[in-house]
Amino acid sequence: VSGPALTELKHAIVARADDQEPGSADPDPGWKVFHGPNTIRFTGIGLLTPVFFDLLENPLMRILADNRLDPGCPDYWLNTAQAMLIGPGQPAQLLHRDCQNWSSLTKMTWPNMPEVTISMMLALDEVCETNGATRVIPGSHLWSDYRTKGQAVDTIPAEMSAGSALFYSGKVIHGGGANLSETDWRLALHLSFVVGWLTPEEAACFVYPRRLIADRSDRVKRLLGYRSYNPSPLAGGRLWLKDFDEWSA
């Protein structure tokens, strides 16, 4: 992402962030730690700028998702799209695997778990080790025990220039880095997809009204939950139906 699109996306997200206090709105202490006391997160990016919908059409992201997600799944959803802005002094996030959003599946199928989710972390400005670059453990998707969390010393920072992106498997251990700067915020957008037979993290069709996506492509509508999941011609039942029939809006 570059040029006017990146500028529009960054400005829209920063403007929205100006109206939100850092920290988690969830009262659970665990989520407060995970989300970070000086981190700003929010969804609904498409309500701020139409550039979001263009991101869903990004050809590289589409190729990677088509190639890497479970071959037995012909369709997939938007899992979530979140602004993740890490403020000065924010400690490093707990290391984790995104696939453990679906922990029962992880437990049952690891280490032969299918690729069910793939993510992109898009740098809206320069992202470096000092201001909280996402830290990853390369090769952790191949570890024999999914419960192994790894240590900070095992991680490397995903440093990026503005407009660059980190693509990673949901099985890779990662976490937001510590922001060691005194004044700089790490500005990034997380966007992920999940196979159509799992429940997404974000209930996108309740975030984006039908009128807003009426003129968008079938792909965008499907990603946002405005199409049913149909595994045809593979085996399996149709999902996300209306009156026992496929839903399209």
Side-chain angles (χ1 to χ4, degrees), residues 46-244:
L47 302 177
L48 308 177
T49 169
V51 173
F52 165 75
F53 301 108
D54 297 332
L55 278 179
L56 297 182
E57 303 272 21
N58 181 274
L60 179 57
M61 187 69 170
R62 180 171 187 165
I63 289 170
L64 288 171
D66 287 353
N67 180 263
R68 297 305 303 164
L69 291 176
D70 177 16
C73 175
D75 290 334
Y76 44 87
W77 315 75
L78 172 74
N79 180 51
T80 186
Q82 301 180 21
M84 294 184 176
L85 314 181
I86 299 178
Q90 170 64 49
Q93 187 185 33
L94 297 173
L95 296 174
H96 61 283
R97 306 176 194 266
D98 288 346
C99 68
Q100 289 187 279
N101 280 328
W102 307 275
S103 57
S104 296
L105 179 66
T106 305
K107 292 175 184 177
M108 287 188 296
T109 59
W110 196 275
N112 299 313
M113 184 181 183
E115 195 74 83
V116 297
T117 185
I118 187 172
S119 297
M120 171 188 76
M121 188 68 74
L122 173 66
L124 302 175
D125 207 341
E126 181 182 1
V127 169
C128 62
E129 184 170 15
T130 301
N131 69 10
T134 298
R135 304 195 70 90
V136 298
I137 303 181
S140 53
H141 62 299
L142 301 175
W143 290 359
S144 59
D145 189 344
Y146 75 92
R147 295 169 296 182
T148 303
K149 299 297 184 183
Q151 303 294 326
V153 68
D154 302 321
T155 66
I156 61 171
E159 297 186 301
M160 299 181 284
S161 58
S164 298
L166 164 71
F167 289 93
Y168 58 97
S169 160
K171 295 187 280 187
V172 168
I173 293 176
H174 66 285
N179 189 332
L180 305 177
S181 72
E182 295 183 358
T183 59
D184 295 338
W185 282 75
R186 190 212 73 171
L187 307 180
L189 173 68
H190 167 97
L191 190 153
S192 55
F193 295 144
V194 61
V195 291
W197 45 270
L198 288 176
T199 303
E201 181 178 347
E202 184 176 347
C205 63
F206 292 98
V207 176
Y208 301 105
R210 189 181 305 188
R211 59 176 172 74
L212 188 63
I213 54 90
D215 296 329
R216 295 289 169 178
S217 68
D218 286 347
R219 171 178 172 80
V220 168
K221 292 176 181 177
R222 183 173 66 252
L223 288 172
L224 297 180
Y226 284 95
R227 289 286 189 276
S228 296
Y229 168 75
N230 189 339
S232 178
L234 305 173
R238 300 171 303 163
L239 304 172
W240 203 242
L241 305 180
K242 182 179 180 181
D243 293 331
F244 305 101

